[in-house]
């Protein structure tokens, strides 16, 4: 029996057996951000502990930072200011490398890691954020943790964890025009359900995954957690190797060759075994849009909304609640539904290729006057590259606001929020009630190109009819 | 060092039934309450946007019901705690006064966070959970007892067997749910494991990136 990547990486990082089912696992990279770390650093102070592997710990700020006038301190929000000050002090006091505001490497933690070559295949990666699964795109075992576990990793560089089962998700076929990585993952979640992945790591494989760029793979792995899977990964291949070559934290010269050997050896192969296999073809996949209050409540954009009585019993209660919150009717189409806000950004879709896709749709056009459009680059590097390509001008000429890097309206911890019952076409990852900052605000998740199409039309539209 | 050895083997008290599948951590504690650098005050903010209207008037919500005041056991349905990894969610529930959570199923990160705080998370079948919720609704002042070592809940003459993750059970019964001390005992093995990782020993991050 040959192991898959998940088990190979796990075995390599196992420090000890804590019980029959619980292992102590070494964490090769600990990413830290401002929101889930202050209590953890404080716990270290209280116990008189230091950060055990500061060289394997990297911090940045993303969740709470304003995306306008970002460098004007103190912030208008005194709590945000205090939170920023805390990570600045903590990273200095504990000797942790910090990409703060003003650093050219600042940005959403799940964008900063990959674009700097910090995220590499075969690593274990933890961060106090559920979208840490993003880094699995490189063939790393990457997962979100709570603040007590952030404390554990800071102090011991290890975690007490149980091994997961592995489900191979084999994706065949090829995408038609107007269909993106976001549509693939929304379809997988709709099929397997929002709790289908509990207890599993998802291995995404097959010809459709192999043909994706690294940034597209990140979008897919990012939303694994929305399907209940704490971990999602893609085996490293030539696309991975080509992406990593020449990045600031990537090995160079002979060391890069050694790294490539390790990355190739750690990948699953044709003899690898799995606890479960799910096969799925994307030849007929269309653009997906969520209509409810969980990421699993999604339909193809041309379809009609489900009839509650026809859904399975376990889905019915949430479907009812979704209709109540969203104000939609059973059996209606989403096409033509007016939107108020269009949000482009987040760790799901805030990378340069996402912004390029949006620019390709909106170039030379204007967004509807009834729509507030926001483009928030995922990092300072994404921002710089977008400006070098002239994308910022395309966005602003179309009527979008062009902002500084951060998580922004994905979770609305900064001033970027929906108000009232606004309906937002969003490239982010969660359509939970109140997620975008207004208790009655409403979110429709879709690909960045679909958000762009909705912004232009002022209503939900099929991007295939525009491009 | 804080040598935490609080053993959790039983929780007794009244039950707060909270119905609904896929209750996410954004609903449990909206993101704006994560702007504090401590966990203080979260107990009052739990489920804030469902418990209060925009003007701060209380709404009809189980966490507001006078009859459930002081409840120690929360009984929920399917996929409770999905979404964000924020430990603020179990912190808020704990600080509200809840000491054990029983449900049909739990999101993984949420369940792990509960264990890290010494909150037992147990499961039962849909029918058993619904029966439990209905009984608590009709008898809100009735005392329930949750036993961790032979996991079950007792109320009146009834006993329902519960499931609990083995590792979580051991951690609660041994008082080692705060795992840090246990982890730090392995310092030598930690160093040995690190030393054999190719990305640390053979091709580490370049020195100049600092």
């Amino acid at each position: 029996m040959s192991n898959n990547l998940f088990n190979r990486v796990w075995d390599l990082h196992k420090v000890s057996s804590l019980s029959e089912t619980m292992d102590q696992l070494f964490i090769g990279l600990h990413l830290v951000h401002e929101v889930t770390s202050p209590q953890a650093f404080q716990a270290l102070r209280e116990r008189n502990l230091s950060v055990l592997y500061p060289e394997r710990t990297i911090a940045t700020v993303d969740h709470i930072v304003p995306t306008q006038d970002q460098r004007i301190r103190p912030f208008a929000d005194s709590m945000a200011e205090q939170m920023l000050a805390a990570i600045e002090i903590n990273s200095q006091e504990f000797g942790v490398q910090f990409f703060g505001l003003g650093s050219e490497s600042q940005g959403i933690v799940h964008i900063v890691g990959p674009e700097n070559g910090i995220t590499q295949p075969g690593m274990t990666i933890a961060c106090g954020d559920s979208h840490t699964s993003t880094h699995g795109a490189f063939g790393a075992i990457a997962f979100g943790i709570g603040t007590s576990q952030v404390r554990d990793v800071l102090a011991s560089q290890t975690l007490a964890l149980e091994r997961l089962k592995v489900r191979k998700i084999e994706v065949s076929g090829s995408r038609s025009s107007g269909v993106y990585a976001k549509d693939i993952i929304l379809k997988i979640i709709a099929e397997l359900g929002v709790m289908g992945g509990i207890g599993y790591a998802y291995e995404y494989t097959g010809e459709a995954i192999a043909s994706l760029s690294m940034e597209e793979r990140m979008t897919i792995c990012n939303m694994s957690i929305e399907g209940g899977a704490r971990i999602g990964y893609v085996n490293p291949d030539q696309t991975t190797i080509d992406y990593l070559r020449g990045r600031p934290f990537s090995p160079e010269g002979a060391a890069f060759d050694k790294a490539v050997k390790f990355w190739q050896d750690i990948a699953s192969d044709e003899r690898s075994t799995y606890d479960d296999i799910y096969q799925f073809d994307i030849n007929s996949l269309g653009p997906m849009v969520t209509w409810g209050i969980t990421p699993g409540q999604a339909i193809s954009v041309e379809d009609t909304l489900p009839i509650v009585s026809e859904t399975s019993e376990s889905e019915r209660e949430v479907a009812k609640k979704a209709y109540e919150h969203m104000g939609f009717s059973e059996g209606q189409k989403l096409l033509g539904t007016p939107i108020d806000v269009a949000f482009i950004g987040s760790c799901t879709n805030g990378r340069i290729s996402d912004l390029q896709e949006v620019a390709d749709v909106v170039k030379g056009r204007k967004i509807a006057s009834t729509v507030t459009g926001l483009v928030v680059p995922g990092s300072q590097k994404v921002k710089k590259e977008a400006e070098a390509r002239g994308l910022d001008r395309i966005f602003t000429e179309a009527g979008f606001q062009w902002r500084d890097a951060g998580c922004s309206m994905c979770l609305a911890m900064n001033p970027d929020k929906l108000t009232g019952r606004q309906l937002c076409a969003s490239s982010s990852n969660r359509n939970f009630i109140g997620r975008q900052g207004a208790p009655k605000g409403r979110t429709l998740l879709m690909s960045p190109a679909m958000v762009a199409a909705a912004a232009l039309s002022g209503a939900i539209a099929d991007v295939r009819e525009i491009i | 060092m804080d040598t935490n050895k609080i053993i959790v083997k039983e929780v007794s008290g009244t039950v707060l039934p909270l119905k609904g599948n896929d209750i996410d951590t954004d609903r449990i504690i909206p993101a704006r309450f994560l702007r504090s650098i401590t966990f203080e005050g979260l107990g009052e903010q739990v489920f804030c946007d469902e418990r209060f209207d925009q003007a701060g008037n209380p709404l009809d919500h189980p966490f507001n019901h006078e009859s459930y005041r002081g409840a120690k056991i929360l009984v929920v349905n399917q996929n409770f705690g999905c979404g964000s990894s924020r430990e603020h969610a179990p912190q808020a529930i704990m600080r509200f006064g809840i000491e054990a959570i029983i449900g049909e199923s739990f999101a993984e990160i949420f369940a792990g966070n509960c264990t890290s705080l010494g909150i037992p998370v147990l499961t039962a079948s849909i029918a058993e959970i619904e029966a439990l919720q209905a009984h608590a609704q009709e008898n809100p002042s009735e005392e329930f007892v949750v036993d961790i070592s032979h996991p079950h809940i007792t109320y009146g003459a009834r006993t329902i067997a519960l499931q609990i993750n083995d590792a979580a059970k051991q951690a609660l019964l041994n008082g080692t749910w705060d795992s840090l001390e246990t982890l730090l005992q392995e310092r030598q093995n930690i160093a040995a494991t690190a030393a054999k990782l190719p990305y640390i020993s053979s091709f580490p991050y370049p020195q100049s990136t600092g």
Side-chain angles (χ1 to χ4, degrees):
Chain A
M1 182 168 135
S2 168
N3 266 332
N4 49 51
L5 177 140
F6 175 84
N7 286 317
R8 286 175 183 164
V9 173
W10 190 282
D11 292 342
L12 191 60
H13 291 80
K14 184 172 162 177
V15 172
S16 70
S17 295
L18 297 174
S19 75
E20 244 174 70
T21 57
M22 191 73 95
D23 289 343
Q24 181 173 4
L25 207 66
F26 187 85
I27 301 304
L29 170 63
H30 187 197
L31 297 167
V32 175
H33 66 82
E34 75 277 23
V35 179
T36 56
S37 65
Q39 298 90 338
F41 281 112
Q42 189 55 31
L44 261 58
R45 270 188 206 101
E46 285 163 10
R47 299 188 195 199
N48 198 24
L49 292 164
S50 55
V51 173
L52 193 57
Y53 282 82
E55 70 277 22
R56 308 302 307 176
T57 311
I58 289 173
T60 190
V61 288
D62 51 11
H63 284 64
I64 209 167
V65 297
T67 57
Q68 280 176 314
D69 301 328
Q70 196 171 61
R71 304 203 188 160
I72 300 173
R73 300 282 296 273
F75 297 145
D77 176 356
S78 64
M79 291 182 83
E81 179 60 33
Q82 189 185 27
M83 187 157 258
L84 250 285
I87 197 164
E88 287 165 351
I89 292 163
N90 288 335
S91 51
Q92 193 176 19
E93 183 180 328
F94 289 91
V96 169
Q97 186 161 180
F98 178 53
F99 299 144
L101 288 181
S103 156
E104 62 172 27
S105 297
Q106 178 265 333
I108 304 178
V109 63
H110 309 309
I111 291 185
V112 165
E115 73 183 0
N116 287 292
I118 298 166
T119 300
Q120 294 173 16
M123 287 181 173
T124 46
I125 302 177
C127 174
D129 189 284
S130 62
H131 291 112
T132 307
S133 58
T134 312
H135 306 265
F138 291 79
I141 295 307
F143 49 90
I145 55 178
T147 297
S148 294
Q149 291 186 311
V150 172
R151 173 204 66 201
D152 288 358
V153 183
L154 287 173
S156 76
Q157 204 63 28
T158 63
L159 284 169
L161 289 167
E162 285 182 293
R163 197 185 286 255
L164 297 171
K165 292 183 282 188
V166 184
R167 174 177 292 143
K168 179 181 184 177
I169 297 185
E170 209 169 347
V171 189
S172 60
S174 58
R175 281 179 290 159
S176 36
S177 171
V179 177
Y180 301 87
K182 183 68 159 285
D183 302 306
I184 298 177
I185 188 62
L186 283 172
K187 180 70 175 172
I188 290 172
I189 298 165
E191 292 281 321
L192 295 176
V194 289
M195 52 181 285
I198 294 179
Y200 285 96
Y202 282 174
E203 177 179 304
Y204 302 101
T205 184
E207 57 179 350
I209 301 295
S211 71
L212 297 177
S213 71
M214 286 312 296
E215 298 200 346
E216 291 172 318
R217 294 175 189 184
M218 286 184 236
T219 298
I220 294 199
C221 291
N222 171 276
M223 287 189 74
S224 301
I225 185 66
E226 313 314 334
R230 192 176 190 177
I231 290 169
Y233 67 89
V234 176
N235 284 296
D237 61 8
Q238 194 58 42
T239 304
T240 323
I241 294 163
D242 292 344
Y243 179 95
L244 282 167
R245 189 176 279 116
R247 300 208 174 243
F249 281 71
S250 292
E252 291 174 60
F256 190 80
D257 297 336
K258 281 192 228 170
V260 168
K261 174 84 171 63
F262 169 64
W263 298 342
Q264 288 171 333
D265 288 348
I266 205 91
S268 301
D269 54 54
E270 62 277 9
R271 294 183 310 280
S272 295
T273 54
Y274 300 89
D275 300 284
D276 191 28
I277 296 177
Y278 172 74
Q279 286 168 329
F280 163 69
D281 188 274
I282 58 164
N283 279 330
S284 60
L285 180 68
M288 300 288 290
V289 184
T290 65
W291 59 270
I293 55 171
T294 79
Q297 291 173 318
I299 56 165
S300 192
V301 68
E302 69 272 16
D303 287 348
T304 55
L305 297 191
I307 308 296
V308 174
S309 61
E310 292 171 7
T311 60
S312 74
E313 206 177 326
S314 64
E315 294 170 18
R316 221 164 283 166
E317 179 263 338
V318 178
K320 271 188 211 159
K321 196 166 177 71
Y323 277 116
E324 209 175 285
H325 180 73
M326 301 301 288
F328 297 146
S329 308
E330 298 175 43
Q332 78 162 85
K333 283 199 172 195
L334 283 179
L335 276 173
T337 305
I339 64 157
D340 305 298
V341 177
F343 172 63
I344 303 284
S346 86
C347 58
T348 310
N349 284 122
R351 286 171 284 272
I352 189 65
S353 57
D354 300 310
L355 303 195
Q356 185 66 57
E357 281 161 12
V358 173
D360 293 344
V361 175
V362 303
K363 188 174 185 181
R365 293 164 158 150
K366 296 267 183 217
I367 67 171
S369 59
T370 50
V371 172
T372 302
L374 224 59
V375 183
V376 183
S379 70
Q380 296 298 345
K381 285 188 175 169
V382 170
K383 185 177 190 212
K384 195 173 165 192
E385 173 63 18
E387 288 174 353
R389 294 187 192 183
L391 305 188
D392 57 321
R393 287 193 303 280
I394 294 175
F395 297 139
T396 51
E397 282 164 17
F400 279 103
Q401 299 175 35
W402 175 241
R403 297 292 187 87
D404 271 320
C407 300
S408 179
M409 207 187 270
C410 173
L411 86 165
M413 274 194 74
N414 77 341
D416 307 335
K417 297 177 200 301
L418 297 183
T419 56
R421 290 193 76 237
Q422 277 183 328
L423 188 66
C424 179
S426 183
S427 73
S428 57
N429 42 57
R430 286 182 177 143
N431 51 347
F432 298 154
I433 295 173
R435 170 76 178 183
Q436 294 193 283
K440 296 199 181 303
R442 298 168 296 159
T443 304
L444 302 180
L445 303 175
M446 59 193 83
S447 71
M450 280 287 285
V451 175
L456 293 175
S457 314
I460 300 304
D462 188 337
V463 68
R464 292 173 297 188
E465 289 167 11
I466 295 179
I467 53 176
Chain B
M1 189 200 256
D2 174 19
T3 49
N4 164 337
K5 277 277 179 191
I6 298 169
I7 288 166
V8 183
K9 57 180 182 185
E10 188 185 283
V11 175
S12 57
T14 57
V15 161
L16 197 170
L18 179 70
K19 292 186 178 177
N21 293 338
D22 304 327
I23 293 179
D24 59 76
T25 53
D26 275 86
R27 279 171 64 187
I28 297 171
I29 187 79
R32 65 182 183 279
F33 298 119
L34 276 51
R35 283 154 54 247
S36 169
I37 59 168
T38 75
F39 290 124
E40 283 161 31
L42 289 175
E44 288 97 76
Q45 294 153 348
V46 67
F47 285 108
C48 184
D49 290 343
E50 304 187 356
R51 288 169 62 204
F52 304 98
D53 68 13
Q54 300 280 66
N57 302 308
L59 300 168
D60 180 29
H61 189 279
F63 273 69
N64 284 344
H65 287 188
E66 196 57 40
S67 55
Y68 300 135
R69 186 180 287 260
K72 295 266 190 290
I73 303 157
L74 179 65
V75 180
V76 298
N77 298 101
Q78 180 174 292
N79 198 27
F80 187 77
C82 58
S84 159
S85 62
R86 58 189 70 168
E87 188 174 302
H88 304 70
Q91 286 273 359
I93 290 169
M94 178 179 79
R95 285 161 193 268
F96 181 82
I98 298 296
E99 294 178 10
I101 314 180
I102 303 172
E104 291 169 34
S105 60
F106 294 88
E108 224 164 272
I109 302 177
F110 177 85
N113 286 342
C114 287
T115 305
S116 297
L117 297 177
I119 306 168
V121 163
L122 306 108
T123 57
S125 71
I126 296 175
E128 287 165 336
I129 291 294
E130 284 175 353
L132 205 52
Q133 287 176 328
H135 187 87
Q137 266 178 329
E138 286 157 27
N139 308 280
S141 57
E142 185 166 329
E143 191 93 350
F144 291 63
V145 181
V146 179
D147 182 272
I148 311 298
S149 57
H150 303 284
H152 66 272
I153 182 164
T154 309
Y155 56 104
R158 286 198 66 181
T159 292
I160 294 177
L162 302 172
Q163 285 78 50
I164 185 168
N165 169 290
D166 276 340
K169 177 174 147 180
Q170 281 186 38
L172 293 164
L173 294 175
N174 297 336
T176 53
W177 43 268
D178 179 336
S179 43
L180 183 51
E181 206 185 328
T182 310
L183 297 173
L184 284 172
Q185 284 167 4
E186 298 287 337
R187 277 177 189 272
Q188 277 187 326
N189 282 333
I190 294 170
T193 305
K196 67 175 201 240
L197 291 170
Y199 61 81
I200 288 180
S201 61
S202 173
F203 51 92
Y205 291 140
Q207 294 292 320
S208 58
T209 46

